[in-house]
Amino acid sequence: MKVTSYKCQFCNNYFINYRTNFDDFSKKKFEVLFCNFCEYGKTLLKKNINLKSYYPKQYYGNNNSGRFNFLIEHISIYLRKLRVKLFYKQQIKKKYLDIGCGRGIEAQILKKKNWTVYCTELNNNYINKLKKKNIHAYKSYDLEKLKVKNNYFDFITSWHNLEHQININKNIDIVHKILKKNGTFIFEVPNIKSFQSIISNDNWIHLEAPRHVYHFTSQFLKNFLKKKKFKIVSIETFSLEYGPIGMICSIYNIFLKEKNLLFKILYKNPKLKIKYPKLFYINAIILLITSIFIIPFGFCLEFVLSKFYLGGVLRVIAKKNNTNT
């Protein structure tokens, strides 16, 4: 790995060339750099890049039925509903913000429970549907556009959104300001130091450059959140929604030419993402024959590795320190 001429924004040391990632939507390659001192990765982007152009309509799938087939969509919705139980476990209520809410499944449930609910999202169709349900929905990369007072929210969540943010430093400061004292911040991001990331390397499904601007490790998040005046309650590395699929795809990536094939098959528009169409059916047959072994093995392996903090996803629960803002 070569030392680059690019410096880390947090420690001013030089990044190293870490990985190269191919974007299946734009058909372009992007470099992922890594800071050995801060322990995090960053996708190398041109100064004037328009990231919105890398979120095509196909990325969001069908606005009515989602990105995946019927079965996978319903499993995903069920898992997101389970998250709401986590909110009650934390015994937090009243005012809630979901950063990058997608379809806002959790927000809609909590709205029915008479919570004050705010959301941010980039997809106009999702935003309009949430507004019709009297949910405060904003189209924004930047949390400064939220017109709320400091110390306002009891609970803020961000499910696989922080890795998409260019202004993460500023936005985490804003999260701290608008959380109440002892308010809870829960988020999930991919774990670039996970076992599945290591074995899949450049082809790891959760690299997703350039949409994933940042690539996190647990060590970076511990240091970063401490500087931002958060107290970490827990860090886990298992996610039913994202962990097993990442591991299964990573195992298949070892011996299949078409990378992340299972994900592409489950996607509603697979032809948009197939890199080697001539080999697609051969690869798909191999996947089908071996799936009875690989899928349960990958699921179990991901679960076991998460006990050693090597799972594919970092789930962080943090509290705002009891300080004045």
Side-chain angles (χ1 to χ4, degrees):
M1 295 181 184
K2 288 191 199 176
V3 176
T4 72
S5 59
Y6 300 97
K7 286 188 176 182
C8 171
Q9 70 188 81
F10 299 109
C11 69
N12 211 37
N13 285 294
Y14 288 101
F15 284 111
I16 58 171
N17 280 106
Y18 192 62
R19 295 181 187 176
T20 300
N21 189 231
F22 178 83
D23 176 27
D24 290 301
F25 288 105
S26 67
K27 311 300 181 185
K28 295 180 182 179
K29 286 186 177 181
F30 293 86
E31 295 296 321
V32 176
L33 310 180
F34 195 80
C35 177
N36 274 331
F37 296 90
C38 296
E39 289 211 5
Y40 81 103
K42 187 175 182 181
T43 301
L44 181 59
L45 301 174
K46 293 180 180 179
K47 286 185 178 180
N48 297 321
I49 189 172
N50 177 18
L51 274 180
K52 291 181 181 179
S53 66
Y54 291 92
Y55 290 86
K57 290 181 179 180
Q58 297 93 330
Y59 176 79
Y60 294 100
N62 186 300
N63 289 309
N64 294 317
S65 57
R67 291 193 289 175
F68 301 97
N69 65 43
F70 178 83
L71 177 62
I72 301 302
E73 279 296 319
H74 277 72
I75 291 174
S76 177
I77 290 171
Y78 173 74
L79 292 175
R80 294 180 186 192
K81 287 180 178 179
L82 285 181
R83 290 175 181 168
V84 177
K85 294 185 178 181
L86 180 64
F87 304 158
Y88 292 114
K89 183 179 179 181
Q90 294 295 317
Q91 297 180 347
I92 304 296
K93 57 183 179 180
K94 293 184 179 178
K95 296 187 175 91
Y96 164 69
L97 168 66
D98 190 8
I99 302 169
C101 67
R103 284 169 285 174
I105 295 168
E106 300 95 326
Q108 293 177 56
I109 295 172
L110 294 174
K111 180 65 179 178
K112 290 178 181 178
K113 300 289 184 181
N114 295 320
W115 287 35
T116 301
V117 178
Y118 284 71
C119 295
T120 67
E121 175 53 42
L122 291 178
N123 186 297
N124 280 323
N125 290 302
Y126 294 160
I127 291 171
N128 292 333
K129 287 181 179 180
L130 291 171
K131 283 182 176 179
K132 288 178 181 178
K133 297 179 180 180
N134 295 319
I135 291 173
H136 302 283
Y138 295 84
K139 184 175 183 178
S140 178
Y141 282 108
D142 197 331
L143 294 181
E144 280 187 331
K145 293 183 180 180
L146 284 175
K147 297 179 181 179
V148 296
K149 298 178 181 178
N150 290 350
N151 305 303
Y152 183 76
F153 291 106
D154 299 285
F155 204 98
I156 296 177
T157 59
S158 178
W159 304 104
H160 293 269
N161 179 268
L162 294 184
E163 62 269 28
H164 292 260
Q165 295 185 16
I166 294 178
N167 298 320
I168 186 171
N169 206 22
K170 180 173 69 174
N171 282 337
I172 294 300
D173 285 336
I174 295 173
V175 167
H176 188 275
K177 286 181 181 179
I178 60 180
L179 260 182
K180 290 182 178 179
K181 293 180 180 179
N182 292 318
T184 301
F185 181 35
I186 293 185
F187 63 91
E188 280 188 4
V189 292
N191 177 15
I192 200 168
K193 283 291 186 76
S194 65
F195 181 78
Q196 60 179 257
S197 170
I198 293 168
I199 65 172
S200 211
N201 201 9
D202 291 356
N203 297 307
W204 186 42
I205 190 172
H206 295 314
L207 276 182
E208 206 181 326
R211 287 170 294 281
H212 288 189
V213 179
Y214 286 95
H215 309 271
F216 298 102
T217 66
S218 59
Q219 189 58 50
F220 171 77
L221 290 174
K222 288 175 184 176
N223 295 333
F224 181 63
L225 290 174
K226 184 178 179 180
K227 289 178 182 178
K228 297 298 181 181
K229 299 181 181 179
F230 283 95
K231 178 182 178 181
I232 292 179
V233 177
S234 67
I235 296 182
E236 299 176 359
T237 65
F238 183 75
S239 166
L240 270 174
E241 187 174 3
Y242 292 95
I245 185 67
M247 176 59 76
I248 294 164
C249 284
S250 295
I251 294 171
Y252 277 120
N253 285 350
I254 296 172
F255 58 89
L256 291 183
K257 181 74 172 177
E258 186 68 49
K259 304 308 176 186
N260 302 313
L261 180 60
L262 178 60
F263 176 82
K264 293 175 183 180
I265 289 174
L266 296 175
Y267 210 78
K268 281 190 172 178
N269 297 297
K271 290 183 180 179
L272 296 169
K273 296 177 69 68
I274 297 301
K275 189 176 181 181
Y276 301 101
K278 292 181 180 179
L279 297 174
F280 173 75
Y281 291 106
I282 295 173
N283 280 232
I285 290 170
I286 295 172
L287 185 147
L288 181 63
I289 293 172
T290 59
S291 62
I292 191 170
F293 306 105
I294 297 294
I295 291 177
F297 173 72
F299 187 97
C300 293
L301 182 60
E302 177 69 11
F303 179 77
V304 171
L305 288 169
S306 70
K307 300 300 180 183
F308 299 93
Y309 299 97
L310 291 171
V313 172
L314 292 162
R315 174 183 288 177
V316 180
I317 300 177
K319 290 273 190 179
K320 176 178 175 177
N321 276 343
N322 198 15
T323 56
N324 292 324
T325 58

